[in-house]
Amino acid sequence: MTDDTTRGLAPLREQILSSSPQGFDRTLGLHYLEASADAITAEFVVTPALLQPWGITHGGVYCSVIESVASLSGQLWLIESGRTGHVVGVNNNTDFLRAVGDGRMTARSTPVHRGRSQQLWLVEITAESGKTIARGQVRLQNIED
């Protein structure tokens, strides 16, 4: 088995865990705390910019967080398994379980299936109280170089 550096896993993990999120993750305020090929943990704070008109978190925020965390999880696994390429989302199914208007949220990914052509990841978002706020599954297509 090759080490993280030869496969490009270490640089990707370092980029994910950097204190400066990129792209839409920056807009969401998403910060990654742990990253491996088996799970990612991230957190974000619900701010007024993430609320819908009735003062609760917009459902699209949860969908986006779930998509980001699952996609990065799948990409790390793809690289760790010795393959080259990238993953793309083909389905995001998110359930909204509790309405919240503020607070720190934690998202954690768990693999359901990791196969030759597709992956399925479960991501749960919990509040500081430990209660599950939203959960979703994202199916990813492995696109090999």
Side-chain angles (χ1 to χ4, degrees):
M1 179 173 262
T2 57
D3 65 32
D4 282 357
T5 309
T6 1
R7 282 198 236 133
L9 192 57
L12 179 58
R13 185 177 290 125
E14 184 179 313
Q15 178 184 353
I16 291 169
L17 295 174
S18 76
S19 60
S20 175
Q22 302 298 308
F24 195 51
D25 286 358
R26 178 178 289 163
T27 301
L28 294 169
L30 195 56
H31 293 278
Y32 294 91
L33 306 174
E34 298 175 66
S36 76
D38 294 320
I40 284 183
T41 303
E43 68 179 12
F44 65 101
V45 175
V46 175
T47 63
L50 302 179
L51 303 180
Q52 43 99 307
W54 294 272
I56 59 174
T57 308
H58 191 288
V61 170
Y62 298 132
C63 291
S64 298
V65 168
I66 287 167
E67 178 103 12
S68 287
V69 171
S71 294
L72 288 174
S73 297
Q75 185 65 41
L76 281 172
W77 177 79
L78 190 72
I79 292 170
E80 184 177 88
S81 66
R83 295 151 72 185
T84 59
H86 61 281
V87 299
V88 295
V90 294
N91 185 43
N92 180 334
N93 185 334
T94 300
D95 295 305
F96 314 115
L97 306 173
R98 289 187 172 76
V100 295
D102 61 9
R104 183 174 303 280
M105 304 293 142
T106 302
R108 181 155 177 87
S109 66
T110 306
V112 176
H113 170 75
R114 296 181 288 191
R116 183 183 52 76
S117 61
Q118 291 192 341
Q119 301 179 48
L120 182 63
W121 288 82
L122 171 68
V123 179
E124 292 186 308
I125 298 175
T126 56
E128 289 175 290
S129 66
K131 292 184 178 180
T132 303
I133 303 304
R135 66 187 303 253
Q137 287 191 152
V138 175
R139 181 168 299 282
L140 302 168
Q141 185 75 34
N142 300 327
I143 308 293
E144 295 198 54
D145 293 340

